[in-house]
Amino acid sequence: MRAIRLAILALSATALATTACQSEHEPTNHTPLPALAAPPYICDYIPLRAVELMTGLHSPVARGFFDLSISDGIGDGSCAVYQRNGKQLKVLLVDLSPSGFPEEVEENIRLGASPLPEIVPGSIGSYFEPPDSKDNEASALLVRGKAALSIRLEVGAEDRDNMADVVALMKLIAPKLITDASAPSKSPSPAPTKG
């Protein structure tokens, strides 16, 4: 009798583990990312639904935060998204830093990246997908003044347009994370000459 109970418990545990693993990955959903950011959010600024669509994960683990009040109002911080099971593999990283260089974006474009549309006034950006990607990777970088916002999709959902997803996510989060303090300063006007 005890052996039967142990066998039933073992089968139940196996069934639960299998269900838990399967429930993390949803079947590929080809719905485009939302055009408007809406709650719930992870790390206070990133729409959870967008992350679930682009990674194919349900309720992923998110760690990090953004502080828009530091670095002269430019902001700083990051948000990493991980799988829930196993080794908790990182699937997405969004990073905001006060060390933007438009030249980096220009170099990316020169090397084959596609230019982003102007998402935030005065910004320049690029996005690309590694040609040898095995995990549906895609990245985007947006720079405005000294602010740099990057999105690195390390493991994207299969059979989705991963580049379109990083561009859509950038459109959702950049207007909130790239603040007016990051705007490039205007060149000073020349001093009037006495005539």
Side-chain angles (χ1 to χ4, degrees):
M1 187 70 157
R2 185 166 189 244
I4 293 173
R5 283 186 194 158
L6 288 175
I8 291 172
L9 286 174
L11 286 173
S12 297
T14 303
L16 284 173
T18 303
T19 303
C21 290
Q22 289 174 347
S23 67
E24 180 170 339
H25 287 280
E26 294 180 350
T28 300
N29 185 335
H30 296 284
T31 304
L33 264 59
L36 297 172
Y41 294 102
I42 58 172
C43 303
D44 294 328
Y45 293 94
I46 303 169
L48 174 61
R49 183 64 183 144
V51 171
E52 288 177 333
L53 286 169
M54 64 194 300
T55 63
L57 299 176
H58 179 69
S59 300
V61 174
R63 295 185 186 109
F65 65 93
F66 298 97
D67 187 343
L68 303 182
S69 66
I70 60 174
S71 300
D72 296 325
I74 293 174
D76 199 1
S78 66
C79 182
V81 178
Y82 301 87
Q83 293 176 342
R84 281 199 175 276
N85 62 8
K87 297 179 184 178
Q88 290 198 348
L89 180 68
K90 183 175 18 169
V91 295
L92 177 68
L93 178 65
V94 177
D95 186 63
L96 174 66
S97 71
S99 59
F101 296 99
E103 296 82 13
E104 181 180 357
V105 174
E106 292 164 356
E107 178 70 8
N108 289 346
I109 293 170
R110 190 181 70 72
L111 294 173
S114 300
L116 280 171
E118 186 180 57
I119 296 171
V120 178
S123 66
I124 181 174
S126 63
Y127 64 100
F128 69 97
E129 181 177 60
D132 58 348
S133 172
K134 294 179 181 127
D135 293 320
N136 309 307
E137 301 166 72
S139 297
L141 172 64
L142 185 74
V143 173
R144 180 183 188 213
K146 291 183 178 180
L149 180 61
S150 66
I151 298 172
R152 200 168 76 225
L153 180 62
E154 296 182 13
V155 182
E158 290 184 35
D159 300 323
R160 283 190 62 89
D161 185 343
N162 305 110
M163 286 200 308
D165 284 347
V166 296
V167 171
L169 184 61
M170 186 67 82
K171 288 178 180 178
L172 287 173
I173 64 175
K176 293 182 181 200
L177 292 173
I178 302 275
T179 65
D180 288 339
S182 69
S185 59
K186 294 181 180 179
S187 301
S189 301
T193 57
K194 292 186 178 182

